Amino acid sequence: MKESLWNSILSVRENSPLVHNITNYVVMNNTANALLAAGASPIMAHAHAEVEDMVTFCGASVVNIGTLDEYWVESMLKTAKKAHELNKPWVLDPVGAGATAYRNETVASLLAYKPTIIRGNASEIMALAKVGEAKSKGVDSVHQSTEATGAAQWLSNTYGSVVCVSGATDVIVSGNKKILISNGHPLMQLVTGLGCTASALTGAFAAVSNDKLTATAAAMALLGIAGELAQKESAGPGSLQLNILDKLYTITQEDFFTYLKAQEDNG
């Protein structure tokens, strides 16, 4: 499996896919720089007049609901609908799902257009699947990723999506197939928007691969390993943020194979 994950990284570098992002304004600069460092090309656009054109010529779209308002929601729905019509890959990052009725209504409308990939923390994924009494503390999860495996499988089977539950162990589900990625470092939790970065990278990988499960796993492994390597050279979260960008750009096959902690389950 490690070879196929590394090949996905090389494919992004070689093809430099254009990734359309409707994301929150807290993280726009960070996610754009991460995409560039990994070899992709970002574009941030949410104007109603152009989002459908963006979907048409971009390799993938990423819809992140972090900072919602009525105008942006309409942009998101136009994007999701167009991507669905064109069978273009699009990623849903349901930031804060479960926190408010407005967020729940928005993600319910977006799910109707069957995201290619859904990436969120355990609380967000459980809220999407309406499993139990999923608790959300704003954009932070109060559940472990493995607690949301059932919810992820339900979402995957219902919408045909690859579902990634981020956490200490990233759980990536496509039907009955599952990949676990256990890379990363706790210091990454103190850098705002790294989950958003993961979603943006996932969009880049989805743009260049027909195997969306492997593409998602590769994106998560790349960011996790970059975080581990960056932490070794960082005094705190500020320098970590910068060093992660450098590691996304300079990571080698030897680094990747040495640090990768991945497990495949096709049961």
Side-chain angles (χ1 to χ4, degrees):
M1 175 173 57
K2 64 183 181 180
E3 288 82 5
S4 61
L5 297 179
W6 178 249
N7 286 338
S8 292
I9 294 171
L10 294 180
S11 185
V12 171
R13 291 177 175 178
E14 292 165 0
N15 292 286
S16 189
L18 186 60
V19 183
H20 169 218
N21 298 266
I22 300 179
T23 191
N24 67 80
Y25 47 72
V26 177
V27 304
M28 282 189 184
N29 183 67
N30 297 351
T31 54
N33 281 329
L35 284 166
L36 287 168
S41 182
I43 186 164
M44 274 59 181
H46 61 270
H48 292 173
E50 69 173 1
V51 290
E52 292 175 327
D53 289 338
M54 289 293 180
V55 173
T56 300
F57 67 76
C58 286
S61 296
V62 179
V63 174
N64 175 309
I65 71 164
T67 49
L68 288 179
D69 69 20
E70 290 79 2
Y71 187 95
W72 283 41
V73 168
E74 183 63 26
S75 304
M76 294 172 184
L77 291 171
K78 284 178 174 286
T79 294
K81 181 180 180 181
K82 191 66 173 180
H84 181 62
E85 289 174 352
L86 297 178
N87 198 29
K88 284 287 192 79
W90 75 279
V91 179
L92 172 63
D93 187 338
V95 179
T100 67
Y102 186 43
R103 288 180 186 272
N104 292 343
E105 291 165 4
T106 298
V107 293
S109 298
L110 288 167
L111 284 170
Y113 298 112
K114 297 185 176 181
T116 311
I117 300 164
I118 303 169
R119 194 221 61 83
N121 64 40
S123 291
E124 292 160 351
I125 296 301
M126 292 169 74
L128 258 61
K130 300 180 180 176
V131 174
E133 293 296 322
K135 294 178 171 58
S136 176
K137 187 181 73 174
V139 300
D140 297 322
S141 179
V142 294
H143 294 281
Q144 299 299 314
S145 57
T146 50
E147 295 179 64
T149 301
Q153 289 177 326
W154 183 88
L155 287 167
S156 180
N157 291 332
T158 301
Y159 297 102
S161 310
V162 172
V163 182
C164 175
V165 190
S166 295
T169 297
D170 300 317
V171 180
I172 304 153
V173 175
S174 179
N176 293 326
K177 296 180 179 179
K178 182 168 59 177
I179 296 176
L180 306 179
I181 303 290
S182 299
N183 290 105
H185 190 275
L187 189 60
M188 296 172 73
Q189 297 174 29
L190 300 183
V191 177
T192 188
L194 280 184
C196 305
T197 296
S199 293
L201 290 173
T202 299
F205 280 71
V208 298
S209 175
N210 291 324
D211 183 348
K212 307 308 183 191
L213 177 67
T214 298
T216 305
M220 300 306 296
L222 173 62
L223 182 60
I225 294 171
E228 288 184 37
L229 294 170
Q231 184 274 332
K232 297 177 183 296
E233 303 173 7
S234 302
S239 51
L240 179 72
Q241 186 171 18
L242 295 175
N243 287 331
I244 284 176
L245 291 177
D246 288 346
K247 295 304 179 183
L248 288 172
Y249 180 73
T250 62
I251 192 169
T252 65
Q253 180 177 326
E254 182 180 359
D255 292 332
F256 189 78
F257 285 1
T258 298
Y259 284 86
L260 178 64
K261 293 187 282 288
Q263 180 182 347
E264 196 169 13
D265 181 359
N266 293 324

